Amino acid sequence: MKISLFIKTVVTMTAALLFALCQPVQAASTPESLLNELANWVAAQNQTSADHIRVTPPDARVKLQPCSGNLSFDYPFANHESVRVRCTQPNWQLFIKVALAKSVNSVVTSHAMSTGQIITDADIELRPDFSPAAGSLTERSSVTGRALKRAMGKGQVILAADLDSTLSAIKFKVALRADDIVSEAAVERVTLQRNTAPASVWLGSELPPGLRLARDVQAGQVLQIADLAEIRQVVVAATDLLTGQALKPGLIRLDKLGQDKVTRSHYFELNKLDGMELVRPIRTGEPIRSADVRPALLVKKGELVLFSVGRATEFQVSVKLEALQDGRLGDQIKLRNNESGRTLSGMVSGPGAVRGM
């Protein structure tokens, strides 16, 4: 009995639901509600908000009859500038002009930023804006390199009033040659007035890793966009390399790498890997990173090494001593003079070489 009652209830509810779904969609009874329905339909077709749809009302001389039957919309023409509205009761159709509101790209913050922070290209993004606020900015170049006058949250529109009137630029402290890497030690920050700064000046809060010069620069010169090479180069394996293999010329070379893939863990100069060995295998052409290497074992316990005191340019004394410990570049190890039995300490300075402390 209970099962029969349950089945009857389910059947009744299902029938009611099907009846509701099969009812014709009734149009609103007023011209205003019809136009609102039209705007919602166009918005759905274009995956936007109805606020961004502009509907041109029919000519005032056209009497818009309320529709009590089914109401349908469609684009009769390929340009989608008009919508055909059709009603089944009474039977009529009407063509109404529609348009999408034009948007501009406003510059917004891509994350929260603090007062005084210098804006880089990574700090901002462009977002379509159908109702741009007064003073909103539409170009990335008008924002990068400038300092914020107030703290801002993620996704906020940056206005002209939010920015300081100065630009942060980079000036060289020393002369550099083409293909040299621009290091933080070679440059300093300077402030330029935005209205007098050349349009070609390079702007950014920090130097990207591996930035190379495309041409010679002089001390005191402000970094220009044209000064920088477009291609980044990193150190890669010139052949397949094995774990523990010491790196030396012929085993490594410079090769191009996409700017978006370059990080500070890469090496940008071959000589920076002098005296280093691999901690894992590296395939031909694979970039070498700081986590892939360690100082090579330059001195082995029990071997005779050259122990030197003084400077080669002035006065230097060298003698062969026995290493009592393994040593890598820069390590301090103990050595023994086998003739006198005396024990000394020194710093590993190269293969089989130790410098007196």
Side-chain angles (χ1 to χ4, degrees), residues 242-263:
L242 303 175
T243 301
Q245 192 163 359
L247 298 176
K248 56 185 179 180
L251 298 180
I252 53 178
R253 59 181 170 84
L254 291 173
D255 200 1
K256 298 175 184 176
L257 187 65
Q259 184 168 328
D260 59 326
K261 298 178 181 178
V262 176
T263 68

Side-chain angles (χ1 to χ4, degrees), residues 290-303:
S290 56
D292 300 329
V293 297
R294 65 181 177 188
L297 193 64
L298 301 179
V299 172
K300 294 182 179 179
K301 180 180 178 181
E303 71 175 4

Side-chain angles (χ1 to χ4, degrees), residues 72-352:
S72 64
F73 307 102
D74 69 275
Y75 286 120
F77 310 115
N79 59 17
H80 290 189
E81 292 180 357
S82 296
V83 172
R84 177 167 52 194
V85 184
R86 290 191 280 194
C87 177
T88 58
Q89 187 64 37
N91 189 14
W92 56 260
Q93 71 174 15
L94 188 66
F95 294 86
I96 298 178
K97 285 189 172 295
V98 295
L100 289 173
K102 291 184 178 180
S103 66
V104 297
N105 286 325
S106 291
V107 180
V108 301
T109 54
S110 58
H111 56 84
M113 301 185 69
S114 57
T115 302
Q117 187 169 343
I118 298 171
I119 302 172
T120 69
D121 196 58
D123 297 324
I124 56 177
E125 55 190 34
L126 295 177
R127 185 180 67 191
D129 196 342
F130 290 93
S131 303
S136 59
L137 302 163
T138 60
E139 300 289 338
R140 288 175 175 269
S141 58
S142 61
V143 176
T144 52
R146 301 179 66 181
L148 279 176
K149 293 168 66 175
R150 67 183 182 95
M152 302 189 73
K154 179 181 179 180
Q156 280 191 263
V157 176
I158 300 176
L159 306 178
D162 297 327
L163 302 173
D164 196 279
S165 60
T166 59
L167 297 174
S168 178
I170 286 178
K171 185 173 72 173
F172 291 97
K173 295 192 290 186
V174 295
L176 295 175
R177 304 294 299 273
D179 205 42
D180 282 350
I181 291 178
V182 183
S183 66
E184 292 287 353
V187 299
E188 62 183 345
R189 284 280 167 186
V190 293
T191 299
L192 304 177
Q193 289 298 318
R194 182 171 177 270
N195 56 355
T196 60
S200 58
V201 66
W202 187 86
L203 303 170
S205 61
E206 62 179 25
L207 290 170
L211 207 59
R212 291 182 183 271
L213 288 174
R215 57 189 183 186
D216 296 350
V217 296
Q218 302 299 317
Q221 181 177 325
V222 174
L223 178 62
Q224 308 289 309
I225 296 173
D227 294 332
L228 300 175
E230 295 182 6
I231 301 297
R232 303 283 183 87
Q233 289 185 314
V234 299
V235 178
V236 303
T239 185
D240 289 345
L241 302 175
L242 303 175
T243 301
Q245 192 163 359
L247 298 176
K248 56 185 179 180
L251 298 180
I252 53 178
R253 59 181 170 84
L254 291 173
D255 200 1
K256 298 175 184 176
L257 187 65
Q259 184 168 328
D260 59 326
K261 298 178 181 178
V262 176
T263 68
R264 295 193 180 280
S265 66
H266 288 98
Y267 285 90
F268 308 105
E269 297 172 275
L270 297 173
N271 59 9
K272 296 295 183 182
L273 285 167
D274 288 346
M276 306 296 279
E277 68 179 18
L278 292 172
V279 297
R280 70 176 183 89
I282 301 287
R283 293 174 296 178
T284 303
E286 185 179 348
I288 298 175
R289 299 176 174 84
S290 56
D292 300 329
V293 297
R294 65 181 177 188
L297 193 64
L298 301 179
V299 172
K300 294 182 179 179
K301 180 180 178 181
E303 71 175 4
L304 292 178
V305 299
L306 188 65
F307 178 76
S308 303
V309 178
R311 299 190 180 188
T313 56
E314 298 174 2
F315 178 77
Q316 187 179 65
V317 176
S318 299
V319 63
K320 289 280 189 177
L321 301 178
E322 180 186 353
L324 300 179
Q325 297 173 281
D326 290 340
R328 304 179 189 277
L329 186 66
D331 285 352
Q332 184 175 337
I333 64 170
K334 293 184 181 298
L335 308 106
R336 180 173 57 206
N337 186 324
N338 290 330
E339 293 183 3
S340 65
R342 183 184 175 189
T343 300
L344 303 171
S345 294
M347 180 179 294
V348 178
S349 57

